[in-house]
Amino acid sequence: MRLTTKGRYAVTAMLDLAINHNKDSVTLRNIAENQKISLSYLEQLFAKLRKQDLVKGMRGPGGGYRLARSADEISIAQIIRAVDEPMEFTDCHGLENCKGGERCLSHHLWVQLTDQLDDFLSNIYLGALMRESEQALEQRRTEPRQTGDRQKVTVPMH
Amino acid sequence: MRLTTKGRYAVTAMLDLAINHNKDSVTLRNIAENQKISLSYLEQLFAKLRKQDLVKGMRGPGGGYRLARSADEISIAQIIRAVDEPMEFTDCHGLENCKGGERCLSHHLWVQLTDQLDDFLSNIYLGALMRESEQALEQRRTEPRQTGDRQKVTVPMH
DNA sequence: TATAATACCTAGTATTTTAGTAGGTTATAA
DNA sequence: TTATAACCTACTAAAATACTAGGTATTATA
């Protein structure tokens, strides 16, 4: 599991979709403008999200994208896995390449580590992020931001 | 916080150092051979680790590297932060750039998300990984691996 | 004191990934 | 019929990753 800006683009775009779930669909053009990413690049990211059945596209005027499932059924890990190629582990075929098993081992430990990370991100759902977002937006509307007022938005796990 | 193969190289190399803490030092040449990374590239990674005071180098024959602190005081997050440049968040200066605050917000949420990730990796220490590693090595020595025997090495948190 | 081993340093190049561009086609609402 | 959108493919640009080459500085030891 990698974690780069590419994954961030995808998560933010998906969040955009989740926040606008009340609308029938959101066009990539809108998202591209909001996020200042090139439209065509976004299209390429969404092709991957579509293949993983995370979004659904509708053509023609009034068309656009919407989430293929409920925001509460889409985890951050799923989004990142869809666009970020998985890390490659150089495979040491059997024991013969491994001096005293040491290489194989640290290897294995790293796999475990990324598994843990995957678990972690698998338990954060788009729905939770969305509600946090709406809440913060509401808060900002009612109590306008003061200078130096850094509101902490906690992301609840599980 | 990014997470790429570069960070993996660094973590594995540091684990190598931790496992060999009984020796006075380990040469980069050894690590390079174990991990099949170019020596000079490793040197560059270790320059960063040195700057963050995670390792200590000793010159001359019999020299090499050792951990600058106890393995129980070095977290995975520290290692990754040392070598992987932090993700850049496009800064939207104040409210004027943000349409309805939406952009700022997803932005902020992403910062929170990476904070969570950072917290998570900050609570896994090299010492724990090292002990797991030694344990698994011992296990392999006493009960030789059978075909299809995938031993699960758990990484304890906290 | 000479030598070899090692860290340590700098400036490159090659490769891969990320990001963007261009120019399409298909589907569909109006 | 037209405009709007998804959808697709091939290419280029920019950045990051990985490596190469060729040094200097330090130090144990023969």
Side-chain angles (χ1 to χ4, degrees), chain A residues 99-119:
Chain A
K99 308 193 172 171
E102 202 175 291
R103 186 156 171 262
C104 240
L105 201 61
S106 61
H107 208 124
H108 184 220
L109 281 165
W110 186 255
V111 172
Q112 292 296 121
L113 200 62
T114 56
D115 275 359
Q116 296 276 350
L117 190 68
D118 194 278
D119 277 359

Side-chain angles (χ1 to χ4, degrees), chain B residues 117-156:
Chain B
L117 190 69
D118 194 278
D119 277 359
F120 172 75
L121 292 177
S122 294
N123 285 309
I124 304 175
Y125 287 88
L126 208 54
L129 289 189
M130 177 192 70
R131 281 184 292 275
E132 291 281 347
S133 167
E134 281 166 346
Q135 208 174 324
L137 201 66
E138 176 64 18
Q139 208 168 18
R140 179 176 296 175
R141 205 176 53 76
T142 52
E143 349 165 334
R145 190 191 191 75
Q146 305 206 351
T147 347
D149 171 21
R150 294 193 59 187
Q151 45 195 349
K152 171 100 175 170
V153 175
T154 54
V155 179

Side-chain angles (χ1 to χ4, degrees), chain B residues 9-139:
Chain B
Y9 277 157
V11 171
T12 318
M14 290 290 280
L15 187 60
D16 204 319
L17 243 54
I19 288 169
N20 294 295
H21 60 86
N22 50 322
K23 297 173 191 165
D24 282 352
S25 62
V26 181
T27 64
L28 287 191
R29 182 174 301 277
N30 286 341
I31 297 180
E33 278 167 11
N34 280 343
Q35 290 184 34
K36 315 288 182 207
I37 314 174
S38 86
L39 175 60
S40 202
Y41 188 48
L42 252 193
E43 283 178 339
Q44 286 163 41
L45 293 183
F46 268 72
K48 292 183 178 184
L49 294 171
R50 193 158 19 85
K51 270 179 199 134
Q52 296 302 312
D53 209 37
L54 295 173
V55 296
K56 193 158 180 285
M58 280 146 306
R59 296 182 175 195
Y65 276 98
R66 59 180 179 77
L67 298 182
R69 292 178 254 157
S70 153
D72 287 311
E73 292 174 295
I74 297 175
S75 71
I76 304 305
Q78 285 173 331
I79 299 170
I80 290 173
R81 265 200 300 265
V83 298
D84 261 331
E85 249 59 48
M87 269 200 237
E88 279 172 32
F89 297 98
T90 54
D91 42 8
C92 50
H93 320 279
L95 286 170
E96 49 275 5
N97 293 350
C98 308
K99 306 195 172 168
E102 201 174 293
R103 187 155 171 265
C104 243
L105 201 60
S106 60
H107 209 125
H108 184 220
L109 281 166
W110 186 255
V111 172
Q112 292 296 122
L113 201 61
T114 56
D115 276 357
Q116 296 276 349
L117 190 69
D118 194 278
D119 277 359
F120 172 75
L121 292 177
S122 294
N123 285 309
I124 304 175
Y125 287 88
L126 208 54
L129 289 189
M130 177 192 70
R131 281 184 292 275
E132 291 281 347
S133 167
E134 281 166 346
Q135 208 174 324
L137 201 66
E138 176 64 18
Q139 208 168 18

Side-chain angles (χ1 to χ4, degrees), chain A residues 133-144:
Chain A
S133 166
E134 282 167 346
Q135 206 174 326
L137 201 66
E138 176 64 16
Q139 206 167 21
R140 178 176 297 175
R141 207 176 52 75
T142 52
E143 351 167 332

